[in-house]
């Protein structure tokens, strides 16, 4: 960690941990948070959870794990360049998707449908629930007992109704205040990472074509730059030379615009940052181009019939599992029932299902519904 700006989060201005602990001996508090996340069970499960492509569709596609590592890389570069806390952004980035269900957004939507009468399901809140409650690793507390600012960064968004139940952590949604700049960075680093790696995975899978992407200005411009520098490059290299330029352009734009906004708002403390409008942002021009790319991915990749076939199957698996557990809670592993004892069977089922990897949920579905399977 280099020189920190006075409005960066650091061990000294942090609101600390819910359960007080002695200071770590040879590392900072946010390094300790990052380390706790890396050692958690939920983190290892990310390896077998879908980003867009289901884990068994190919070894080279992104998973939630490699996605989270790419987000951490981009977020760290931005944080360092702006003299912000790169240990904190790494911790947030590695934890931001811990609450994701199997099968990506299809899984989350399905579980949310199941949970409508029981308070809903939201992967952001689930990430927080994992680090606050569900991980069982320490003698003195449930969860990982992370620093306030790490938890604040994990909770990207939440409804006003939910915010009321979250105490101190929910306050900013009610008061219309911003989180730390480190949290704001992770938000946009997430977007930079998935927009770009989904282009790469989309092309690799053959669901997207180069001809289609030539119609997207951000891609076309950087492909032309790559062609000018390296004419006659073979396919995969050309794709990579284009995507690395796109990432670089987005990060460079973000750095310049954020530095400008920070200098205009002139925050002196972390509190000033929380009271200011969003200071980490793209220029309007880049924001517009980014939106076009997002729209393109939604129309041509996320809604591709082959992806929809998978999401349809995922929805059925999640609904079936949830239905079976709620109908007969004795089918649930008892520790989940105990954990959610003060809440509901539905919440226990949601915790169990959300924690499943893609392949585990398929296996569990077979165990519960397939005659002849044990
Ligand atoms: Mg993400």
């Amino acid at each position: 960690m280099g020189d920190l700006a006075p409005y960066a989060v650091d061990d000294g201005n942090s609101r600390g941990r819910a359960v007080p602990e002695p200071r770590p001996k040879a590392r900072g508090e946010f390094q300790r948070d990052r380390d706790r996340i890396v050692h958690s069970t939920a983190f290892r499960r990310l390896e077998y959870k879908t980003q867009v492509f289901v884990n068994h569709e190919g070894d080279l596609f992104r998973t939630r794990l490699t996605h989270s590592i790419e987000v951490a890389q981009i977020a760290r570069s931005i944080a360092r360049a702006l003299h912000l806390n790169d240990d904190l952004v790494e911790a947030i980035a590695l934890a931001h998707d811990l609450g994701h269900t199997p099968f990506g957004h299809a899984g989350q939507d399905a579980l949310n449908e199941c949970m409508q009468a029981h308070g809903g399901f939201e992967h952001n809140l689930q990430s927080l629930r994992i680090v606050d409650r569900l991980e069982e690793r320490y003698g003195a507390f449930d969860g990982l007992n992370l620093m306030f600012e790490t938890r604040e960064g994990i909770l990207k968004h939440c409804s006003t109704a939910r915010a009321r139940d979250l105490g101190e952590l929910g306050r900013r949604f009610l008061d219309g205040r911003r989180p730390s700049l480190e949290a704001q960075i992770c938000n946009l680093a997430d977007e930079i990472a998935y927009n770009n790696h989904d282009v790469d995975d989309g092309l690799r899978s053959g669901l997207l074509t180069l001809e289609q992407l030539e119609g997207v200005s951000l891609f076309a411009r950087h492909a032309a730059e790559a062609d000018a520098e390296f004419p006659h490059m073979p396919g995969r290299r050309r794709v990579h030379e284009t995507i690395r330029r796109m990432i670089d352009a987005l990060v460079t734009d973000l750095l310049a615009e954020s530095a400008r906004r920070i200098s205009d708002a002139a925050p002196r403390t972390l509190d000033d940052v929380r009271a200011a409008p969003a200071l980490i942002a793209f220029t309007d021009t880049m924001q517009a181009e980014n939106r076009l790319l997002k729209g393109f991915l939604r129309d041509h990749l996320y809604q591709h019939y082959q992806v929809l076939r998978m999401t349809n199957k995922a929805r059925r698996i999640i609904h079936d599992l949830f239905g079976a557990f709620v109908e007969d809670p004795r089918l649930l592993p008892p520790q989940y029932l105990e954990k959610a004892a003060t809440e509901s069977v539905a919440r226990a089922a949601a915790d169990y299902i959300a924690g499943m990897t893609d392949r585990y949920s398929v296996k569990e579905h077979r165990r519960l519904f397939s005659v002849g399977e044990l």
Side-chain angles (χ1 to χ4, degrees), residues 348-369:
D351 285 342
Y352 182 44
I353 294 169
M356 293 178 184
T357 61
D358 299 351
R359 59 184 186 182
Y360 184 88
S361 68
V362 171
K363 220 166 154 189
E364 186 74 339
H365 189 270
R366 223 182 289 135
R367 276 195 292 253
L368 285 171
F369 291 97

Side-chain angles (χ1 to χ4, degrees), residues 33-51:
D33 274 9
R34 189 263 329 271
D35 300 347
R36 285 184 176 180
I37 291 158
V38 168
H39 287 276
S40 70
T41 309
F43 184 70
R44 281 192 300 284
R45 288 179 171 148
L46 294 177
E47 185 175 2
Y48 299 104
K49 289 194 180 200
T50 296
Q51 185 67 28

Side-chain angles (χ1 to χ4, degrees), residues 19 49 56 64 72 76 114 127 138 146 156 171 182 198-200 212 312 323 332 340 344 349 368:
V19 181
K49 289 194 180 200
H56 62 251
R64 290 258 164 228
R76 284 188 62 126
C114 296
S127 298
Y138 299 92
L146 299 179
K156 249 194 326 213
R171 277 226 67 80
E182 286 83 352
D198 288 352
V199 168
D200 189 33
Q212 288 175 316
N312 191 284
L332 275 169
S344 60
L368 285 171

Side-chain angles (χ1 to χ4, degrees), residues 278-290:
L279 298 179
I280 304 294
F282 296 114
T283 57
D284 289 345
T285 322
M286 188 57 97
Q287 178 67 12
E289 279 205 287
N290 197 36

